[in-house]
Amino acid sequence: MTVTTDNIRDLLNRPRGLNNATINEYITMRTEEVDKKARSTEYLASGSANAVTTAQKEAAIKALVCTDCLMVLVNTVATFYPQDDQKAIDQRFQEQLKNFIKRGEDLLSMVAGKGGTAFVVDSVNSRLPSSSSETDVIRNSLRETSPYE
């Protein structure tokens, strides 16, 4: 299944003033972006749980395209809606925009290499705890490597 203009229109409750060509252009741009950022299966087994599925990519694309389309709608509310309805519709679009921005970021980070792999990134201590002082450690290491003993 691919992302279509009907998918986007359904997610946005079929708003007035959204052009099919605009949606198609955003789909093309965001598909390219998600494909570039999606983690590669080069180092993962094909059946790995960490491999990116097509459904995950499509979900990220849909959320990102909805964000783009909502930006267009917010900027063009005055053109397509009567004066009496503009404030309520603008507020609805703003709330949807906030939600889709968050959802898009979450889904994109899940698809990207950093957000979805099982590798642990954490700091570690470079020194091992010991009861002796540093000079004792150095002295002992020198004794172990000294050719004169």
Side-chain angles (χ1 to χ4, degrees):
M1 181 180 149
T2 59
V3 180
T4 64
T5 57
D6 284 335
N7 296 138
I8 302 304
R9 286 187 182 282
D10 290 341
L11 286 169
L12 297 176
N13 299 322
R14 299 205 169 267
R16 284 186 271 165
L18 196 54
N19 190 344
N20 273 348
T22 303
I23 298 171
N24 279 328
E25 191 62 32
Y26 282 128
I27 289 171
T28 303
M29 291 176 358
R30 292 302 192 158
T31 301
E32 184 70 25
E33 178 186 359
V34 169
D35 285 343
K36 277 186 176 183
K37 290 185 178 182
R39 64 185 171 277
S40 172
T41 57
E42 184 178 343
Y43 302 111
L44 302 171
S46 60
S48 174
N50 292 326
V52 179
T53 64
T54 305
Q56 290 172 329
K57 283 184 183 181
E58 288 177 359
I61 293 166
K62 287 177 187 176
L64 293 170
V65 170
C66 284
T67 301
D68 295 333
C69 290
L70 282 166
M71 293 289 272
V72 170
L73 289 170
V74 165
N75 292 328
T76 60
V77 162
T79 309
F80 295 101
Y81 293 94
Q83 187 74 27
D84 299 339
D85 298 338
Q86 286 179 8
K87 184 175 180 181
I89 291 171
D90 187 46
Q91 287 174 344
R92 190 187 89 199
F93 286 157
Q94 292 286 351
E95 285 302 313
Q96 282 183 312
L97 181 60
K98 287 178 193 174
N99 291 331
F100 274 110
I101 286 172
K102 175 80 170 105
R103 186 177 301 155
E105 289 172 353
D106 291 346
L107 290 169
L108 190 60
S109 67
M110 179 185 69
V111 169
K114 185 176 179 181
T117 53
F119 303 111
V120 175
V121 179
D122 196 8
S123 62
V124 295
N125 292 332
S126 60
R127 298 178 184 203
L128 297 173
S130 65
S131 60
S132 59
S133 67
E134 286 186 36
T135 53
D136 290 340
V137 171
I138 293 171
R139 203 173 288 135
N140 289 336
S141 66
L142 289 175
R143 281 190 197 134
E144 292 172 3
T145 59
S146 174
Y148 302 110
E149 289 185 13

